[in-house]
Amino acid sequence: MTPLPSRFLPRRAPWAALLLPLALAGCALPRPPATPDVALPTAWQAPRPPAPAAVAPATDPSLPHGGSADGMARWWERAGDPLLVELVGAAQAASPTLAQAASRIGQARASRVAAGAALGPTLDAVGNLSRGFQPQFLAVATTAQGNLQAGWEPDVFGGNRAARDAAQARLEGAQAGWHDARVSVAAETANQLTALRACREQLVVATDDARSRRESARLSALTTQAGFQAPADDALARASAADAGNRLLQQQAQCDVAVKGLVALTAIDETVLRQKLDAAPVAPVPDALFSIAELPAQVLAQRPDIAIAARDVVAASADVANAEAQRYPRLTIGGAIGRFYVDAPQFSGSSTTWTAGPLQLSLPLFDGGRRAANTAAARAKYDEAVALYRARVRQAVREVEEALVNLRATADRAADAETAAAGYRASFEGFQARYDAGLASQIQLEDARRTALAAETTRVNLKRERMAAWIALYRAAGGGWEPSAAAPGDSGATVAVLSPAEAPSAPAAPAPAVGPAPTSR
């Protein structure tokens, strides 16, 4: 039989089969856009607060802090409240929410490593040793073999790369979640301390009021016993004193409850905390703590919760590509090299063994619609992530606007509240003098006292509302978080923001409309 010419021999066919996956590895299925459009206002509708005079021009006044604990302390120090700085640090150290967020970062980082490892080859070492009757030697023999086995999936349609990108986005979301938890803890601590101090100030007002009413009741009883006053007026004075005592006890209970809440938040011993509260001076609320950037997009880019929502969209987009890739063929390449040793009565020796392959192609034919259903579910989750992202952006705009409105309202009301409290206090003192001189009735005195108490309560509450408005604005602005701020375990590294549009498997796309600017890892 005449042999075939050499040009018909399939010498290069195995090499072509090995190189084909490399040629196709750059292919990838299209993904849904990871940059949903969100309509943002061009400017804030509510007036912005004035910039604090203490902020140097070289710094960015729109950032309450730079995403670090030291920067946060400097921001709180602008309020002249060292105790708050200490309590914020203690609350963050004791916060289970922060610990949980740090744990999620570790989990997400491990998932990212596992997903990235699927793109590379695998290498396993296998060894075995056996002794027994070997038919080929017709004797008892000892055999030993050690192999290095390698495998690789070229990821022709980008499924593994999509899984890696989804894991990367979730890692970045977990890192932003840690910063979001830290901002929430700081805001909660500040609100708790502000409420406690307002409660204590109200307690002083209630104590003075109760003391004044008890004295009035004592004098009223003497006047009634002397026959200069009707028993009904004496009853009114005693009722007024009892009412003041009831309010005083209620206010004291509220303050005690607030202290215990702060103890649970900071994990500081209650006795020590009460000593710190008693020793710390209460500074007035400044007119300006920080300012807000004029463009809403600049402020919203500082919010870690929006960064989380944006990363969820990126991850959902990659999940769609991964689910779609499972519907296409998968190619795997294997190989092994090793050493074989045999020790028999008539023969002893060793040799090197190797195999190239198998080259395995898996082609999905029928699965009852499972892969198509997985793709449909992934697309539905993507639509959900986009909707939640847009809603989160709208909610963020609302929170900033509301905080700005409340901040301006408390500033506008402050002067009137101070004037009203001073006026009603003077009016009560005048009625008290007239009552002592017998020129005013008990009813007139109690009405003046009640009005003065209400005005003083309003003044104290307004101070609390103003500080609460600053805290709300601090939280609504993201607490000054920056995308480059390091999370636990990052060793100071920047938090990369990788979108599928930037991955090698997809063409370039614009950055998200809201959120941290993308960088490549």
Side-chain angles (χ1 to χ4, degrees):
M1 185 169 105
T2 305
L4 291 173
S6 60
R7 65 178 182 272
F8 292 105
L9 295 178
R11 295 178 181 175
R12 296 180 178 83
W15 297 106
L18 291 175
L19 294 176
L20 180 60
L22 296 176
L24 295 177
C27 302
L29 300 174
R31 307 179 186 181
T35 56
D37 296 328
V38 180
L40 287 175
T42 57
W44 302 113
Q45 299 300 314
R48 293 181 297 144
V55 176
T59 63
D60 187 353
S62 65
L63 301 181
H65 61 78
S68 66
D70 292 340
M72 180 180 296
R74 286 193 298 270
W75 181 78
W76 290 123
E77 285 170 1
R78 293 176 187 170
D81 197 347
L83 178 59
L84 181 55
V85 178
E86 180 182 354
L87 294 184
V88 166
Q92 289 182 343
S95 172
T97 305
L98 271 174
Q100 185 182 40
S103 174
R104 288 174 179 171
I105 291 177
Q107 297 173 36
R109 185 177 289 109
S111 298
R112 168 64 177 84
V113 172
L119 292 171
T122 60
L123 183 64
D124 299 314
V126 179
N128 59 73
L129 175 68
S130 65
R131 180 174 176 79
F133 179 80
Q134 300 292 335
Q136 61 268 38
F137 300 119
L138 299 177
V140 176
T142 300
T143 60
Q145 186 174 8
N147 289 331
L148 290 177
Q149 299 178 350
W152 179 47
E153 181 180 345
D155 195 28
V156 177
F157 294 100
N160 291 339
R161 276 171 290 170
R164 176 205 62 188
D165 295 341
Q168 174 66 28
R170 291 189 172 98
L171 171 58
E172 293 157 5
Q175 290 168 329
W178 180 82
H179 292 283
D180 187 49
R182 188 181 61 174
V183 170
S184 297
V185 169
E188 184 181 359
T189 305
N191 273 323
Q192 191 77 11
L193 181 59
T194 300
L196 175 56
R197 283 177 167 166
C199 184
R200 286 190 158 197
E201 194 169 352
Q202 291 280 24
L203 182 61
V204 172
V205 174
T207 301
D208 293 341
D209 181 63
R211 184 185 303 112
S212 175
R213 295 187 188 227
R214 284 197 302 269
E215 180 63 18
S216 294
R218 186 184 68 83
L219 296 176
S220 177
L222 294 176
T223 304
T224 303
Q225 291 175 5
F228 296 109
Q229 181 175 266
D233 290 340
D234 181 50
L236 178 60
R238 286 187 285 106
S240 177
D243 184 51
N246 177 62
R247 278 198 304 269
L248 177 60
L249 294 175
Q250 183 182 25
Q251 193 69 41
Q252 180 65 60
Q254 291 178 0
C255 294
D256 289 340
V257 169
V259 169
K260 296 183 184 304
L262 203 54
V263 167
L265 190 62
T266 61
I268 298 177
D269 181 76
E270 182 171 341
T271 302
V272 176
L273 180 59
R274 287 183 180 274
Q275 292 173 354
K276 291 179 179 293
L277 291 168
D278 294 337
V282 180
V285 180
D287 292 332
L289 286 175
F290 57 87
S291 63
I292 294 297
E294 180 178 357
L295 297 178
Q298 292 178 264
V299 176
L300 300 185
Q302 298 171 202
R303 287 184 59 127
D305 59 335
I306 290 183
I308 296 171
R311 295 304 93 194
D312 287 343
V313 174
V314 173
S317 174
D319 286 341
V320 172
N322 182 26
E324 187 68 28
Q326 306 309 313
R327 305 177 64 184
Y328 291 83
R330 304 183 67 174
L331 189 65
T332 56
I333 304 173
I337 184 171
R339 191 77 175 172
F340 178 79
Y341 170 80
V342 62
D343 183 12
Q346 295 84 15
F347 175 80
S348 178
S350 62
S351 64
T352 300
T353 61
W354 64 272
T355 59
L359 179 66
Q360 179 178 336
L361 181 66
S362 175
L363 180 64
L365 295 178
F366 177 76
D367 61 1
R370 175 176 59 86
R371 292 180 177 87
N374 290 340
T375 302
R379 289 188 177 275
K381 291 181 179 178
Y382 169 79
D383 294 338
E384 178 186 10
V386 170
L388 292 176
Y389 172 74
R390 290 171 174 163
R392 179 69 265 176
V393 172
R394 292 194 300 270
Q395 179 64 20
V397 173
R398 173 187 175 181
E399 290 174 0
V400 175
E401 290 281 8
E402 288 179 349
L404 291 173
V405 168
N406 291 333
L407 200 57
R408 171 54 65 92
T410 54
D412 293 342
R413 293 164 52 200
D416 291 339
E418 291 290 343
T419 301
Y424 284 125
R425 191 182 310 115
S427 174
F428 166 70
E429 292 172 355
F431 270 104
Q432 181 71 60
R434 294 179 60 189
Y435 174 79
D436 293 341
L439 301 177
S441 66
Q442 184 73 40
I443 295 177
Q444 291 175 318
L445 177 63
E446 294 304 327
D447 285 343
R449 192 199 307 274
R450 190 181 305 109
T451 305
L453 177 63
E456 191 66 24
T457 301
T458 300
R459 184 189 66 81
V460 174
N461 286 337
L462 185 59
K463 289 172 58 179
R464 179 187 57 80
E465 290 177 19
R466 180 156 181 78
M467 192 60 191
W470 276 116
I471 296 169
L473 184 59
Y474 160 81
R475 188 170 185 173
W481 170 79
E482 291 179 315
S484 60
D490 289 336
S491 301
T494 58
V495 178
V497 180
L498 176 67
S499 68
E502 298 174 295
S505 58
V514 175
T519 59
S520 59
R521 183 179 288 274

